[in-house]
Amino acid sequence: MKPLLAPSILSADFARLGKEAKEAQSAGADLLHVDVMDGRFVPNITIGIPVVESLKKEVEIPLDVHLMIVEPEKYIRDFIKAGANYISFHFEAAVHHHRIVETIKSEGAKAGVAVNPSTPINFLEEILPFLDFVLVMSVNPGFGGQKFIETSLRKIEKLKKMAEKLNQELLIEVDGGIKLDNVEKVLSSGARIIVAGSAVFKGNIKENVKAFKEKLKNFS
């Protein structure tokens, strides 16, 4: 599968969110990554269901909603109803992982689990066969603009090997500190969904997206 680019709106200008989302889409973005933070699971508060609803009216590309919240099972149906096409919740924030994944799928969305940098990837072994994707955090979640944690590359490689045995259709998504100068390393490790925030939305969005897509086209 060809890699997908998912610009993160966390780095967009929220006063011009619809316009910038459309600009990223027209430049070739494949998904739009939406970070939902509750101020409890992570030390920041961002957006909720109304913003997802509004974005769905503005763009045609799928919305990739990353729930950095406690008790994600309480809100999943509402986010999907609002327009989320992909939903990831944190392994560390939930107890009944399989039940949540089944709920996501029953509502017609792609189901993913996100893992923090310090969470061992082998913790996902039992849930992996049921997932559509895994979101590997390559920074500590909660804020944009952080530096990529290099040990994430080894983690992605481990996950890829696990997926080859347990779920060959699994997509590996990576989020945090990805720039034009390190995206090829991330792709070479096995990532197929690339989340980029400031590297897309800071500066010329159209040119930034095109530069990323040029890098991505060399991988499959």
Side-chain angles (χ1 to χ4, degrees), residues 68-98:
M68 287 176 266
I69 63 175
V70 299
E71 299 181 311
E73 62 275 11
K74 290 185 175 181
Y75 306 99
I76 279 168
R77 286 188 173 90
D78 289 334
F79 273 105
I80 295 173
K81 184 179 178 181
N85 304 101
Y86 290 61
I87 289 263
S88 56
F89 64 95
H90 269 264
F91 181 86
E92 306 86 358
V95 177
H96 302 292
H97 303 91
H98 182 269

